[in-house]
Amino acid sequence: MKFIHTGDWHLGKLVHGIYMTEDQREVLNQFVDLVAEEQPDAVVIAGDLYDRSVPPTDAVELLDEVLFRINVELNTPIVAIAGNHDSAERLSFGSSWYRHNHFYLTGKLTNDFSPVHINGVNFHLIPYAEPGVVRHLLGDSSIHSHQDAMKAVIGKIEENLNPNEANVFVGHAFVLGGDSSDSERALSVGGSGCVTQDLFEPFSFTALGHLHSPDAIKHDKVKYSGSLLKYSFSEAKQRKSVSIIEMNENGSFDIRYKSLKPKQDMRELEGHLEELLDPSFYEKEDTMDYLKVTLLDDGAMIDPMGKLRQVFPNVLHLERKIESIDQKHRLHFTSIQEEKKSELELFEQFYKEMTTSEFTEEKRGVMTDVIGKVLKEEGQK
């Protein structure tokens, strides 16, 4: 059978003050087209359908529209779980009668660990749950971490698992060693939010959500779908895709990836303001992309954001790059020290290195007083 693995839609996401709903609509329209083209036996959504527990109305309407098109119009079964951003209770609404149309949505973890059977494959749906919830549900006081919780849940699944059939685990977790980004909410403090890869060994394939890159971990059978869109500039260089898995009855599978084209990419630019505003540069760029710009200019600047947005209207973040003291500067400061310059002369040299402003007599007077007070205090110690 064939299924498409996706997740981390984060509908209603707000990035640097901009709601991404229309960008999400654009890429989800492409996703629906892909489902129509591939005609999979199921679509797997591994959590974080929404970006928050109480999503904005337009995000709810978009999810309703997309799921209807996939499940009803294309008659494609959907297998979905809640992630750590979702409200388990809200997603659980209607799940009992959704199943009549082959829409299997698990919002809250329950004591029912029976899988969903679709075309010879068993899908084990485990939504995100805090260790305390699992501890209470299973009555196991030894559960304190996400590792403990996942191990206990998989132990329950294994009680009735048929290893001779194809078994797919659908979950939302942070696998130890995975590459994270700024837009992923930490599951806990320290490393107690992580789970190890070996826990998923009983399954033919593990379809995960939470980490936003399909390359987050390297494992033959444990895979992240990654998010459909870039949701922070730490993801600017990530590839985004959905996974298409074709699985045999014995659990062996082939996987391929399909990228969807966003309405606007999220990228980083670096350079001097004059260079970035030069037509010979920006005419080769997609000026409508969401941008983080790092300026290399020294000294004071007048309204650099306003100037940049005349050419790049979607600059979301602007910063100045302050170089650390490199080897050249270290050598330079060493030579100053060897020349035995005074504290004031050393500061003046430093001031000129770090700024383009003139070191005026007024500034010299202020620093003379400051240095004098410091030297006096040190002499009294």
Side-chain angles (χ1 to χ4, degrees):
M1 68 99 73
K2 180 199 292 187
F3 63 92
I4 296 179
H5 173 206
T6 182
D8 293 283
W9 290 2
H10 288 277
L11 300 185
K13 182 73 174 179
L14 187 67
V15 179
H16 289 273
I18 294 179
Y19 278 104
M20 304 294 289
T21 310
E22 288 309 307
D23 299 79
Q24 293 166 331
R25 184 185 304 279
E26 170 75 20
V27 79
L28 283 171
N29 283 338
Q30 295 177 42
F31 180 74
V32 173
D33 291 340
L34 177 65
V35 174
E37 177 187 339
E38 292 287 342
Q39 298 182 1
D41 298 289
V43 168
V44 175
I45 311 174
D48 282 354
L49 287 81
Y50 293 124
D51 188 60
R52 66 189 79 170
S53 58
V54 184
T57 302
D58 55 357
V60 177
E61 292 173 348
L62 178 57
L63 181 63
D64 180 69
E65 174 192 328
V66 170
L67 296 180
F68 180 85
R69 291 170 64 189
I70 294 172
N71 185 234
V72 178
E73 293 181 355
L74 297 178
N75 196 28
T76 302
I78 295 176
V79 174
I81 61 169
N84 61 303
H85 282 250
D86 298 309
S87 166
E89 290 75 14
R90 284 183 170 84
L91 284 188
S92 294
F93 172 79
S95 57
S96 58
W97 54 266
Y98 289 162
R99 289 173 173 257
H100 289 289
N101 204 57
H102 304 294
F103 177 18
Y104 305 96
L105 175 59
T106 303
K108 288 195 302 183
L109 186 67
T110 69
N111 270 314
D112 182 7
F113 295 101
S114 57
V116 172
H117 304 277
I118 303 176
N119 287 11
V121 175
N122 303 315
F123 289 91
H124 303 271
L125 310 185
I126 303 300
Y128 174 80
E130 292 287 343
V133 172
V134 180
R135 181 171 61 246
H136 176 75
L137 181 69
L138 301 183
D140 185 345
S141 60
S142 68
I143 295 174
H144 298 287
S145 66
H146 283 266
Q147 174 78 358
D148 298 336
M150 187 66 77
K151 184 176 181 179
V153 166
I154 291 176
K156 286 291 184 181
I157 294 174
E158 286 188 279
E159 291 177 4
N160 297 299
L161 184 76
N162 185 344
N164 298 317
E165 296 178 343
N167 292 284
V168 174
F169 182 93
V170 182
H172 195 88
F174 194 141
V175 173
L176 187 65
D179 294 327
S180 62
S181 68
D182 293 343
S183 56
E184 294 147 0
R185 185 183 300 164
L187 300 183
S188 67
V189 177
S192 63
C194 297
V195 300
T196 55
Q197 301 175 7
D198 61 287
L199 293 181
F200 305 105
E201 190 58 36
F203 304 99
S204 311
F205 184 87
T206 296
L208 292 178
H210 184 59
L211 298 184
H212 286 186
S213 169
D215 305 308
I217 58 171
K218 305 297 182 185
H219 193 281
D220 292 340
K221 299 192 298 180
V222 181
K223 305 289 184 181
Y224 283 97
S225 65
S227 57
L228 290 177
L229 289 171
K230 299 172 183 178
Y231 289 127
S232 71
F233 287 106
S234 63
E235 300 177 28
K237 296 181 180 179
Q238 289 183 1
R239 71 180 180 100
K240 299 295 181 181
S241 64
V242 297
S243 307
I244 303 169
I245 295 93
E246 299 194 44
M247 180 164 284
N248 300 316
E249 291 183 359
N250 63 4
S252 63
F253 62 89
D254 292 315
I255 185 169
R256 52 193 170 91
Y257 302 94
K258 180 71 175 181
S259 295
L260 306 176
K261 184 174 177 57
K263 182 179 178 182
Q264 292 155 261
D265 197 4
M266 184 173 286
R267 300 186 292 114
E268 295 180 311
L269 286 180
E270 182 177 287
H272 293 86
L273 183 62
E274 184 178 352
E275 296 169 348
L276 300 180
L277 298 179
D278 189 327
S280 65
F281 171 78
Y282 68 73
E283 286 175 355
K284 301 174 185 177
E285 297 284 314
D286 190 334
T287 58
M288 297 304 294
D289 285 346
Y290 296 119
L291 298 176
K292 171 187 173 181
V293 176
T294 302
L295 293 178
L296 304 179
D297 301 79
D298 296 323
M301 304 183 71
I302 300 175
D303 192 22
M305 179 67 90
K307 292 176 180 177
L308 283 166
R309 282 182 171 168
Q310 291 179 12
V311 176
F312 306 100
N314 293 310
V315 176
L316 302 185
H317 181 78
L318 175 64
E319 65 183 34
R320 301 278 293 276
K321 187 171 185 178
I322 301 175
E323 296 284 357
S324 60
I325 299 175
D326 57 16
Q327 186 63 30
K328 177 182 176 181
H329 284 153
R330 283 198 294 270
L331 290 173
H332 186 61
F333 288 139
T334 300
S335 67
I336 291 174
Q337 189 175 20
E338 289 172 353
E339 292 172 11
K340 300 185 183 301
K341 290 189 176 182
S342 68
E343 288 82 0
L344 182 60
E345 289 172 324
L346 287 171
F347 181 82
E348 181 177 355
Q349 184 67 52
F350 173 78
Y351 187 87
K352 290 179 179 178
E353 290 281 351
M354 295 296 106
T355 74
T356 58
S357 300
E358 181 184 356
F359 193 65
T360 63
E361 285 302 320
E362 181 182 0
K363 295 173 183 177
R364 187 185 300 276
V366 170
M367 285 308 303
T368 299
D369 291 341
V370 170
I371 292 170
K373 289 178 182 178
V374 171
L375 293 175
K376 184 178 180 181
E377 289 177 359
E378 288 183 347
Q380 293 173 350
K381 291 180 181 178

